[in-house]
Amino acid sequence: MEKPPQSDLERERQYCELCGKMENLLKCGRCRSSFYCSKEHQKQHWKKHKLICKEAERPPATTSTEPPPPPPPPPASNDEAPADKTRSSEPGDGSGSEAPGSGDGPVLGPAEERSNPGTPNGQSSSSPQKLAMEYIVPCMDKHGICVVDNFLGAEVGAGVLDNVKALHKTGKFTDGQLVSQKSDSSKDIRGDKITWIEGRESGCDKIRFLMSRMDDLIRHCNGKLGNYTINGRTKAMVACYPGNGTGYVRHVDNPNGDGRCVTCIYYLNKDWNAKEHGGLLRIFPEGKAQFADIEPKFDRLLLFWSDRRNPHEVQPAFATRYAITVWYFDADERARAKEKYLTAAGEKGVKVELDKPSEAS
């Protein structure tokens, strides 16, 4: 007998436990409460998932004249825990797939000398502290999403763009990965090219300045953004969508509590026309019927909660689209994630198979 179709709310709460993808999901055949987009991602996540994976109660057998359902897919793992050999070496790639504790960015340092910021969206403050306290904190508290326009000003923003274009010409950008894998499977999920920047690299002085300005804002917000205590961040992920109609499917940055709490994205696209160029970032705030479309306009800063409250997608872009993303860590969640990852090492696994989450879907 077919199961009743899932409600929209049920589907909204289902994510691949590894990458955060929300489409074409499979269900863990053992606990029946966790989801994956592929058997490969289930194997890679097994070291963490096995800590909470318990045999689900099966419904009693019933007689029926209907033909039996098709057999489930073959087991996704062996009796031993799947080997996790393809873990990303960089944190915060937007997929929620990095190993907790690997490649953390710097702890927030002391403030440096800054030039005055531009005029933010709906604000006229020239003080990072005033911008943080009077605009960003209330906006994040109410909406979980915040847009600041003219963040650096046209001249400084142009300098950041020059840095990024020069980086792009060096050929250092590689395909955006969910995990460090040799296959092309991630290209169906994301089509960007990326590189990771600490800020001290040659020719990246303006990118470093941008990162320091982001740090200033977060430092002034600290202790007032939710219940978070922010003590560090990732490196900057510089991303380029090449304009060939690629995007990034609906996903969550941090579906599993890896420590990332705030996503900060700075856009670098002059004269962007969403009707012609596409490339919108569409956010689907949890529990709300409306979605938010963010155009990747030049000198625009976007902040939003990194967890399951903000599933989002990058719609296909038909012009070269540049952005720089930094993720900020909550101290307690990051420490728990590292501890959980270390605890999982070396334990034996059990045989697990994947079932479709709903035969009717």
Side-chain angles (χ1 to χ4, degrees):
M1 184 177 293
E2 288 188 343
K3 295 180 180 179
Q6 291 174 302
S7 69
D8 291 340
L9 180 58
E10 286 175 323
R11 282 192 292 270
E12 288 287 328
R13 295 181 180 277
Q14 294 176 2
Y15 307 81
C16 175
E17 297 287 346
L18 183 67
C19 70
K21 185 181 176 184
M22 302 175 71
E23 300 170 356
N24 302 319
L25 298 178
L26 300 166
K27 182 186 291 185
C28 173
R30 185 167 187 258
C31 68
R32 309 184 70 80
S33 61
S34 292
F35 297 87
Y36 296 93
C37 65
S38 65
K39 294 179 182 179
E40 183 64 26
H41 278 196
Q42 185 198 29
K43 289 180 182 180
Q44 293 167 15
H45 190 249
W46 175 241
K47 285 186 179 179
K48 286 202 247 181
H49 180 57
K50 68 182 177 182
L51 298 177
I52 59 171
C53 185
K54 297 179 181 179
E55 187 75 34
E57 292 185 7
R58 303 283 176 166
T62 59
T63 59
S64 173
T65 59
E66 297 179 9
S77 63
N78 297 322
D79 287 337
E80 294 297 319
D84 193 354
K85 297 179 180 179
T86 57
R87 198 174 292 276
S88 169
S89 60
E90 292 290 0
D93 61 0
S95 66
S97 61
E98 82 283 1
S102 67
D104 283 7
V107 171
L108 302 187
E112 301 174 7
E113 290 297 321
R114 311 281 187 255
S115 66
N116 288 334
T119 303
N121 185 26
Q123 302 291 308
S124 58
S125 167
S126 61
S127 161
Q129 182 174 7
K130 193 171 184 180
L131 174 61
M133 298 307 300
E134 295 185 4
Y135 179 59
I136 293 177
V137 169
C139 189
M140 289 293 285
D141 184 54
K142 183 176 181 179
H143 304 290
I145 303 167
C146 186
V147 175
V148 180
D149 281 332
N150 307 310
F151 179 57
L152 297 179
E155 183 177 350
V156 180
V160 178
L161 179 58
D162 288 343
N163 277 186
V164 170
K165 287 181 174 179
L167 263 180
H168 198 196
K169 289 180 180 178
T170 65
K172 293 180 180 179
F173 283 58
T174 58
D175 287 343
Q177 295 287 307
L178 304 178
V179 288
S180 297
Q181 50 194 345
K182 296 180 180 179
S183 71
D184 291 335
S185 61
S186 65
K187 291 183 180 179
D188 295 332
I189 299 176
R190 60 186 299 184
D192 53 342
K193 308 281 186 179
I194 66 170
T195 191
W196 293 91
I197 296 298
E198 183 179 350
R200 300 181 182 277
E201 297 86 348
S202 175
C204 294
D205 56 314
K206 300 301 182 183
I207 297 176
R208 181 183 179 185
F209 178 81
L210 166 67
M211 295 163 71
S212 69
R213 283 291 315 282
M214 289 178 172
D215 287 353
D216 273 357
L217 278 187
I218 297 298
R219 187 180 297 106
H220 288 304
C221 293
N222 209 356
K224 298 177 178 64
L225 286 173
N227 296 318
Y228 297 122
T229 300
I230 298 174
N231 70 337
R233 58 164 167 80
T234 66
K235 297 177 183 178
M237 185 186 78
V238 184
C240 171
Y241 288 86
N244 57 358
T246 55
Y248 195 158
V249 303
R250 187 171 173 178
H251 66 284
V252 175
D253 285 355
N254 175 17
N256 285 313
D258 63 23
R260 288 177 288 167
C261 60
V262 176
T263 301
C264 290
I265 308 176
Y266 181 72
Y267 293 112
L268 289 152
N269 309 295
K270 292 186 175 181
D271 303 316
W272 191 266
N273 182 334
K275 291 183 178 179
E276 179 183 352
H277 303 139
L280 289 171
L281 181 75
R282 176 165 288 181
I283 304 178
F284 304 85
E286 186 180 47
K288 296 181 180 178
Q290 300 86 4
F291 52 78
D293 281 343
I294 312 296
E295 291 191 42
K297 291 183 176 181
F298 176 75
D299 201 25
R300 167 171 283 179
L301 182 70
L302 169 67
L303 302 90
F304 58 89
W305 303 129
S306 304
D307 59 18
R308 299 186 183 215
R309 286 173 285 182
N310 284 316
H312 54 282
E313 66 187 18
V314 177
Q315 298 187 340
F318 300 98
T320 304
R321 179 189 188 276
Y322 291 115
I324 299 176
T325 306
V326 171
W327 287 268
Y328 286 88
F329 291 125
D330 172 62
D332 291 341
E333 184 180 307
R334 191 64 175 172
R336 289 194 301 270
K338 290 180 181 180
E339 181 65 27
K340 186 175 180 180
Y341 173 66
L342 294 173
T343 302
E347 297 183 11
K348 291 184 178 181
V350 296
K351 186 175 289 187
V352 178
E353 61 187 27
L354 287 170
D355 293 337
K356 286 285 185 182
S358 173
E359 288 81 351
S361 60

